[in-house]
Amino acid sequence: MNSQCQAVYFLFFFATVTSDCVTWFYENTFFKGGDVDAVYTPTAEHCQKVCTFHPRCILFSFLPANSINDENKRFGCYLKDSPTGTLSRMTRTNAISGHSLKQCIYQNCACNKETYEGLDMRGVNLNVTKVNTVEECKKQCTNHALCQFYTYATQTFHRPEFRNTCLLKHSQSGSPTAIKMLDGVVSGFSLKPCGLSDIGCTMNIFQDMSFSGKDLGRVIAPDHFVCRTICTYHPNCLFFTFYTNTWHIESQRNMCFLKTSDSGKPSSEIPQDNAMSGYSFLNCRDWQDLCHIRMHSGMDFEGEVLEVVYVQDAQACQEKCTSKIRCQFFTYTPHQGECKEDKCKCSLKISSDGSPNRIIYGTESTSGYTLRLCKKLSNFVCTEIQNKRVVGGSTSSPKEWPWQASLQVKLKTQSHVCGGSIIGKQWILTAAHCFDDLSSPDIWRIYTGILNQSEIQANTSFSRIEKIFIHPQYEISETRHDIALIKLETPIEFTAFQGPICLPSEDRGTTYTNCWVTGWGFTQEKGEIQNTLQKVRIPLVPTEECRKKYIQYKITDQMICAGYKEGGKDACKGDSGGPLSCNNKGSWQLVGITSWGDGCAKKDHPGVYTKVAAYLYWILHIMEN
């Protein structure tokens, strides 16, 4: 599918926040008012990450370099809040606005593995060394306790004495203090949030111990576990001390002190009754996302009340808080005078820093936090196999790709049109463009568990489509958002020949090296549908490199590219909608959906696939509702 990309213009006058996850961007749009903070970020995608993890941000606006003449405002990321959930918007050429991902089941983590050529992300320089590659510079930053981002001067930098120089940097906010366009440099972020640091971490809690260091701030917390989570998500916190509610200084009870030091360790450890200290988990390898899942009985969290609702129990109150995007914590009050019939008062609350202003003990209340940070992908059962549109491929074996589906149209004759992937008993994931001018569910027949097209006879069983879900932002004239979900009328019976592939795990910087494209498509650009399912192993291509190959097209962050520089192996006509399957630690994951390309297997023209990880919430939202 070769389509020229066209600009999208949104005609809404207001941006409204709902309880649903909204992942798309509004182009040529800037939200007016509601500013709670402003930072610099290299892209709109990273701005959205910052907004997602900010305690108050629900909307954002980003100014790329081509949107403003003032160099000091280029790459500005404006974080916004609104008590009504609504902000008016103005037209601004090349500005990009969007929503926080706080309400997304699949929530982008803080990990960012991208590198940014031609950008100098500025901050306080921590260290300057000579290294051979940008990857070495990135690794140095990841393994330096204080480094948050870096800039590397390449061999093409205009001043020879600075070539191959790696500058490790940090800032008070964790974001660059400015971003400037500069030829011959590459910038990026530490991979500590990806769980890739080799520094190591201490998971112990030190009871009756106070850590000395530079104070970064203080917040109220119900216990040391919450204090540690807050420290882990703070951009500069390396260790903490928490004073319990029995601490002798009343004004410091339940106070969580966030700390750092130049060495990364406390300057001293002081024995102190009713104090508990520990370290951030940020330097832990493969650390899991943390969240405040526990509820706290006998405590009333004080804060600004957003809304009062009446529910049956504390768990229902927590669910209400989680579903309301601005709610940060809650208090459920079940005692007499606060109940109506079998339901009692649930106060949804907010504060400037996401923590209670005060904690009152000795009440009948139960308090807790939103579970937004706890939201994970549903545990769909999927296929795990250890065995190892396709041009330059080879034939597959039975049971090798049990998630592969053949989508066929029955009009006057019947023919294979697209591939697809089984992701659930009644669900097939495929490309939206497969249904261009073929949108009626009645004409489609879905075959699973087959290897050869010749197996399909008049009496061969197939599945009918109950409903086709096309991504709401897909347009026939464009290549973006090329994804569709099919619900089958009846469930598939899983066997060794047909079963689901895993959806990709949360993007924590996973590097996929064992990826395969499968399909019955053409084996040459002017060919024919193949009888036997073809397979080819194919390397992923970095997004920035792919963009250079397709200057006339727009390669978005919702796309992924794969192919050989020399060409010769690729997906082709008839493979559309089929899987780009990658094996990660023994589990096959659906990383991409075959979408489009410039011809088939051409030199320096990789295939372009829809990036499944970018659409996980949309997929799961439909499947679960």
Side-chain angles (χ1 to χ4, degrees):
M1 184 177 87
N2 296 322
S3 303
Q4 292 290 336
C5 297
Q6 298 178 345
V8 178
Y9 297 95
F10 294 85
L11 302 179
F12 313 118
F13 292 102
F14 295 92
T16 301
V17 174
T18 70
S19 60
D20 291 332
C21 168
V22 182
T23 60
W24 54 78
F25 294 150
Y26 306 107
E27 298 183 352
N28 303 311
T29 299
F30 192 90
F31 293 147
K32 296 175 64 176
D35 294 298
V36 292
D37 205 351
V39 296
Y40 291 98
T41 62
T43 62
E45 288 77 13
H46 191 76
C47 183
Q48 187 176 49
K49 285 181 185 289
V50 175
C51 179
T52 298
F53 286 92
H54 189 280
R56 295 292 294 256
C57 182
I58 59 175
L59 297 162
F60 69 89
S61 291
F62 174 71
L63 296 179
N66 61 355
S67 68
I68 191 167
N69 292 326
D70 187 345
E71 289 189 4
N72 294 322
K73 293 184 178 180
R74 290 176 181 173
F75 304 102
C77 169
Y78 298 86
L79 310 181
K80 298 171 180 284
D81 185 21
S82 168
T84 64
T86 301
L87 287 176
S88 60
R89 49 176 139 178
M90 57 185 286
T91 300
R92 185 163 190 165
T93 303
N94 296 322
I96 301 171
S97 295
H99 298 255
S100 157
L101 300 180
K102 287 180 170 69
Q103 293 302 91
C104 299
I105 292 175
Y106 173 77
Q107 177 175 280
N108 280 341
C109 71
C111 170
N112 184 355
K113 290 190 69 178
E114 297 293 328
T115 54
Y116 304 97
E117 295 184 10
L119 295 185
D120 178 14
M121 300 201 307
R122 299 186 178 180
V124 177
N125 291 340
L126 296 166
N127 193 23
V128 181
T129 58
K130 291 284 188 178
V131 296
N132 293 322
T133 66
V134 66
E135 291 301 320
E136 291 180 57
C137 188
K138 182 190 296 184
K139 187 172 182 179
Q140 281 197 8
C141 182
T142 301
N143 291 325
H144 188 290
L146 302 178
C147 183
Q148 297 161 337
F149 48 93
Y150 62 89
T151 296
Y152 175 68
T154 69
Q155 284 284 350
T156 63
F157 191 65
H158 67 283
R159 295 182 62 178
E161 68 270 25
F162 291 117
R163 290 172 185 169
N164 299 111
T165 298
C166 171
L167 285 80
L168 307 185
K169 309 177 183 184
H170 76 156
S171 73
Q172 186 175 352
S173 67
S175 296
T177 56
I179 299 178
K180 304 296 181 181
M181 293 188 291
L182 184 62
D183 291 338
V185 301
V186 179
S187 294
F189 291 91
S190 163
L191 300 187
K192 295 183 194 74
C194 309
L196 296 175
S197 174
D198 292 325
I199 295 174
C201 64
T202 302
M203 303 183 73
N204 294 341
I205 291 293
F206 298 84
Q207 296 193 27
D208 297 322
M209 186 73 69
S210 173
F211 285 173
S212 294
K214 178 183 177 182
D215 286 335
L216 296 169
R218 58 185 72 179
V219 294
I220 298 293
D223 57 33
H224 62 279
F225 295 110
V226 172
C227 183
R228 178 163 57 187
T229 299
I230 294 170
C231 178
T232 299
Y233 282 108
H234 189 280
N236 289 297
C237 182
L238 296 179
F239 47 92
F240 66 88
T241 292
F242 172 75
Y243 295 118
T244 71
N245 69 315
T246 56
W247 175 245
H248 66 281
I249 302 176
E250 185 176 356
S251 62
Q252 293 181 351
R253 289 174 185 171
N254 290 105
M255 193 72 76
C256 170
F257 287 83
L258 310 177
K259 301 170 181 282
T260 189
S261 70
D262 292 338
S263 67
K265 300 291 183 182
S267 54
S268 62
E269 299 178 0
I270 305 169
Q272 199 80 264
D273 290 342
N274 302 313
M276 307 180 79
S277 297
Y279 291 86
S280 163
F281 277 166
L282 187 61
N283 290 328
C284 299
R285 195 163 183 87
D286 297 323
W287 67 278
Q288 298 296 311
D289 283 340
L290 302 171
C291 63
H292 309 316
I293 195 168
R294 181 184 170 197
M295 284 190 267
H296 304 270
S297 299
M299 299 186 197
D300 185 338
F301 288 0
E302 288 200 339
E304 178 187 343
V305 178
L306 292 172
E307 185 180 353
V308 173
V309 295
Y310 289 84
V311 296
Q312 289 185 330
D313 53 31
Q315 183 177 347
C317 188
Q318 189 171 49
E319 290 171 358
K320 286 286 187 183
C321 182
T322 303
S323 67
K324 190 173 183 66
I325 190 169
R326 298 185 75 236
C327 180
Q328 298 164 340
F329 49 91
F330 67 89
T331 295
Y332 173 70
T333 312
H335 55 75
Q336 288 184 346
E338 301 289 356
C339 299
K340 295 179 179 179
E341 298 179 351
D342 61 338
K343 296 181 179 181
C344 295
K345 183 179 179 180
C346 168
S347 301
L348 310 181
K349 304 180 181 183
I350 191 173
S351 72
S352 60
D353 60 10
S355 296
N357 300 328
R358 188 164 69 119
I359 296 177
I360 300 175
Y361 284 82
T363 71
E364 296 180 28
S365 303
T366 297
S367 295
Y369 296 87
T370 174
L371 297 181
R372 282 194 301 264
L373 289 176
C374 311
K375 289 187 173 186
K376 299 294 178 186
L377 300 180
S378 300
N379 294 320
F380 294 105
V381 176
C382 51
T383 308
E384 296 191 7
I385 305 176
Q386 299 297 335
N387 62 317
K388 320 175 176 135
R389 103 194 157 180
V390 181
V391 178
S394 56
T395 57
S396 301
S397 305
K399 307 179 188 177
E400 193 173 8
W401 313 103
W403 50 84
Q404 177 79 48
S406 174
L407 280 55
Q408 306 205 1
V409 168
K410 177 68 180 295
L411 296 172
K412 292 182 180 179
T413 60
Q414 182 170 317
S415 59
H416 169 87
V417 175
C418 277
S421 303
I422 303 171
I423 61 170
K425 284 186 175 293
Q426 283 185 265
W427 300 97
I428 306 290
L429 196 63
T430 187
H433 79 261
C434 294
F435 302 101
D436 292 353
D437 301 321
L438 296 169
S439 58
S440 173
D442 297 336
I443 64 175
W444 288 91
R445 296 186 174 190
I446 311 301
Y447 291 88
T448 56
I450 65 168
L451 180 66
N452 301 306
Q453 292 288 324
S454 58
E455 297 173 35
I456 300 174
Q457 305 295 328
N459 60 350
T460 303
S461 62
F462 62 88
S463 299
R464 292 191 179 276
I465 295 178
E466 178 180 311
K467 189 170 183 179
I468 301 168
F469 297 88
I470 305 290
H471 192 276
Q473 285 185 282
Y474 171 74
E475 293 186 16
I476 293 176
S477 60
E478 297 188 0
T479 57
R480 294 186 292 179
H481 310 296
D482 189 14
I483 185 170
L485 191 57
I486 297 169
K487 184 177 184 183
L488 305 177
E489 287 186 351
T490 56
I492 299 170
E493 181 182 349
F494 292 162
T495 68
F497 295 91
Q498 57 186 27
I501 184 172
C502 302
L503 294 174
S505 57
E506 189 171 5
D507 183 12
R508 302 187 61 80
T510 303
T511 300
Y512 296 101
T513 57
N514 185 12
C515 296
W516 296 74
V517 183
T518 51
W520 289 276
F522 292 9
T523 55
Q524 53 185 343
E525 196 162 325
K526 295 182 180 179
E528 59 184 15
I529 296 298
Q530 298 300 293
N531 177 52
T532 304
L533 182 66
Q534 301 291 296
K535 65 179 180 181
V536 64
R537 186 170 182 173
I538 200 164
L540 301 187
V541 177
T543 302
E544 288 304 319
E545 182 179 333
C546 188
R547 285 173 178 152
K548 294 175 183 177
K549 307 296 185 186
Y550 286 108
I551 297 175
Q552 72 275 33
Y553 299 97
K554 185 172 184 179
I555 304 297
T556 72
D557 288 334
Q558 290 77 45
M559 299 175 185
I560 192 167
C561 300
Y564 290 92
K565 180 178 177 62
E566 65 274 17
K569 297 180 180 181
D570 193 10
C572 201
K573 185 176 180 180
D575 294 320
S576 290
L580 171 63
S581 309
C582 299
N583 193 306
N584 182 38
K585 298 179 181 179
S587 174
W588 285 101
Q589 297 183 4
L590 183 59
V591 172
I593 300 169
T594 304
S595 181
W596 64 279
D598 186 359
C600 302
K602 287 184 177 180
K603 182 179 179 180
D604 282 331
H605 284 80
V608 184
Y609 302 78
T610 302
K611 187 177 182 180
V612 175
Y615 296 94
L616 283 172
Y617 175 80
W618 179 77
I619 295 167
L620 297 176
H621 181 71
I622 291 173
M623 293 176 71
E624 293 180 346
N625 290 281

